[in-house]
Amino acid sequence: MDAKVISKAKLPSRYVTVGPARAPHRSYLYAMGLSAAEIAQPLVGVASCWNEAAPCNISLMRQAQVVKKGVAAASGTPREFCTITVTDGIAMGHQGMKSSLVSREVIADSVELTMRGHCYDALVGLAGCDKSLPGMMMAMVRLNVPSIFIYGGSILPGSYRGRQITVQDVFEAVGQHSVGTIDDAELLEIEQAACPSAGSCGAQFTANTMATVAEAIGLALPYSCGAPAPYEMRDRFNFASGEKIMELIAKNIRPRDIVTLKALENAATVVSATGGSTNAALHLPAIAHEAGIKFDLFDVAKIFEKTPYIADLKPGGKYVAKDMFEAGGIPLLMKTLLDHGYLHGDCLTVTGRTLAENMEHVAWNEHQDVVRPANRPITQTGGVVGLKGNLAPEGAIVKVAGMTELKFSGPARCFDSEEECFEAVTHRNYREGEVLVIRYEGPRGGPGMREMLSTTAALYGQGMGGKVALITDGRFSGATRGFCIGHVGPEAAVGGPIGLLRDGDLISIDAVNGTIDVALSDDELAARAKTWKARTTDYQSGAIWKYAQTVGPARDGAVTHPGGAKETHCYADI
């Protein structure tokens, strides 16, 4: 691709590189070693979430250098910058988790501001952690300049006494340790073996779920999201993405041409087919919101209802992301879904071709059992289910992949924070058959809608995964398994029914029919609502307080601004 044929007449970078009035602006570019020819080329933002916070981000800066080489080879001028991440695995189980979902908005906002401030013409975004993937994709759709998403790749599985393990096993080992099943030495052995390389958590937790989404929605090159972080072959995808972005500029192919309602439905399909993270039901509406498309929790749940579960991936199955890549990658999964009518093949992708065209030469691999044919699924219904009832009028979500019992009833045991519940679980201060309720952990009430992996994993480690249920207006890690229902809305902080529960109230959950109810009449709920008082959080200033003032309900993606529907001008067209 020869960038000399790309006119800057309509590109954002004309405001900082073209004409006598921009001489001061160009002087800064010369100061950084750019030539006049490079300044005259399109400027491509290469944004990464690199940091030393966790293994999921540690390889991103190296990969970004390869992307830049691809951009330069295609006669573009790459401009690298970084944004933040909050890594859930380290933030989990304490107050730090309140920062996690907030970070998604900060990532999207900071990428937007950097792109706007410096008038870059296109974006290649690299991300690794749970919230950085949707945050980067949200920024792409918001800005609507030609964009390509790159996943940093998954971590390799650990090896412990002859079996593959992931960080999920470490969290569950904490529960085993609490009841004396394993000792200090064995816990140490597990924690030192679980994470042997750079990369994001290895199973179909949130990062790999959203990486699967990136290919299915069309923002990432085929196969690019499957290769593990340590694999040198990732450089092929990185270089190719850098080259391809110049073609997208020339053809003016933009994210909103790609992220359509059909593409969002494709994304929801692969989430359910892989038994992916329930967090996708939060992030897909948020990405849709940036494009001005209505696609809320219930729309996601409709796709889940009719999608077969076909990928035998952890935490409900036995394989990790590396295994699926080596079996044929995300295209293998998409190919069988497309062949059996579960995907829209006419959606445009960053290749410049449709999804169906991308799949033309993908052959089925009969010598693997990671992904089943879509007409011979693990189960007929998807791995994730939406729920609704008088306890969750705005919906809730549950992952059922790997579960055999899909109904549960029991008395409520109420906790007003995750810490209270974790303390009770640690000391076995609960009973079999109870429904543990963690409330005031929603987007506004938390604030920040914390994940509950520490608590759920401890329960599973104690052997109670199928003997109690847990519901929350917060959310669950992609590594969560067992009867755990999140995103219950309206949240307690705004007077939702979950905030009106009392110990002993009978709760019934039915993941077959998609219902979640409490055995209370409308009159009783109304009476309790009259005496309910909102709980004040400890966060009365700072970034988390600011987030709580603007965040909307989980049903709509917990978004913080009006979105594409209210947009009066698009950055790409300034």
Side-chain angles (χ1 to χ4, degrees), residues 15-243:
Y15 289 110
V16 295
T17 62
V18 176
R22 303 311 177 193
H25 307 67
R26 292 191 295 271
S27 73
Y28 285 115
L29 301 177
Y30 287 123
M32 292 183 284
L34 296 187
S35 66
E38 288 172 315
I39 293 171
Q41 295 175 162
L43 305 184
V44 178
V46 179
S48 84
C49 299
W50 175 87
N51 58 44
E52 294 182 337
C56 33
N57 310 307
I58 202 70
S59 72
L60 294 179
M61 185 174 287
R62 186 199 68 77
Q63 294 191 50
Q65 308 317 305
V66 185
V67 174
K68 291 162 65 178
K69 290 178 181 178
V71 172
S75 300
T77 302
R79 308 311 299 150
E80 182 182 3
F81 63 95
C82 293
T83 184
I84 71 156
T85 51
V86 173
T87 299
D88 288 6
I90 292 176
M92 193 76 66
H94 54 86
Q95 292 288 307
M97 179 50 73
K98 293 181 185 291
S99 301
S100 174
L101 188 57
V102 182
S103 75
R104 185 190 72 179
E105 311 308 304
V106 174
I107 291 163
D109 291 352
S110 61
V111 171
E112 176 195 356
L113 294 175
T114 300
M115 293 286 292
R116 283 185 182 275
H118 301 96
C119 294
Y120 295 152
D121 301 314
L123 173 62
V124 180
L126 300 92
C129 281
D130 294 0
K131 305 309 166 296
S132 63
L133 278 81
M136 191 66 72
M137 287 186 268
M138 287 163 64
M140 291 174 174
V141 178
R142 184 185 302 177
L143 292 162
N144 203 32
V145 290
S147 300
I148 295 178
F149 178 83
I150 297 175
Y151 180 42
S154 70
I155 201 169
L156 296 177
S159 179
Y160 172 69
R161 300 184 181 182
R163 65 182 177 93
Q164 283 192 160
I165 63 170
T166 69
V167 71
Q168 170 194 347
D169 296 276
V170 188
F171 276 99
E172 292 179 4
V174 173
Q176 295 170 334
H177 182 270
S178 72
V179 295
T181 306
I182 63 173
D183 59 19
D184 291 349
E186 190 169 351
L187 180 61
L188 178 62
E189 186 180 351
I190 293 170
E191 71 179 75
Q192 291 181 337
C195 300
S197 73
S200 303
C201 297
Q204 199 68 351
F205 308 153
T206 304
N208 280 318
T209 297
M210 295 309 297
T212 307
V213 161
E215 283 197 32
I217 210 169
L219 289 174
L221 293 179
Y223 295 101
S224 66
C225 290
Y231 283 17
E232 292 293 327
M233 70 181 302
R234 287 212 54 79
D235 287 354
R236 302 180 199 173
F237 300 118
N238 296 329
F239 191 90
S241 296
E243 287 187 308

Side-chain angles (χ1 to χ4, degrees), residues 32 45 227 263 279 331 415 421 512 549:
M32 292 183 284
N279 283 311
F415 302 93
C421 187
V512 177
Q549 309 315 301

Side-chain angles (χ1 to χ4, degrees), residues 542-557:
I544 295 175
W545 173 87
K546 189 188 301 182
Y547 174 84
Q549 309 315 301
T550 57
V551 68
R555 169 181 174 167
D556 298 320

Side-chain angles (χ1 to χ4, degrees), residues 310 331-345 355-356 359-365 373-375:
I310 62 173
L332 181 75
L333 172 89
M334 292 169 60
K335 174 68 171 176
T336 187
L337 289 169
L338 179 66
D339 287 348
H340 292 91
Y342 293 101
L343 293 178
H344 302 290
L355 184 148
M359 296 296 110
E360 282 179 0
H361 300 294
V362 177
W364 180 253
N365 178 5
N375 63 337

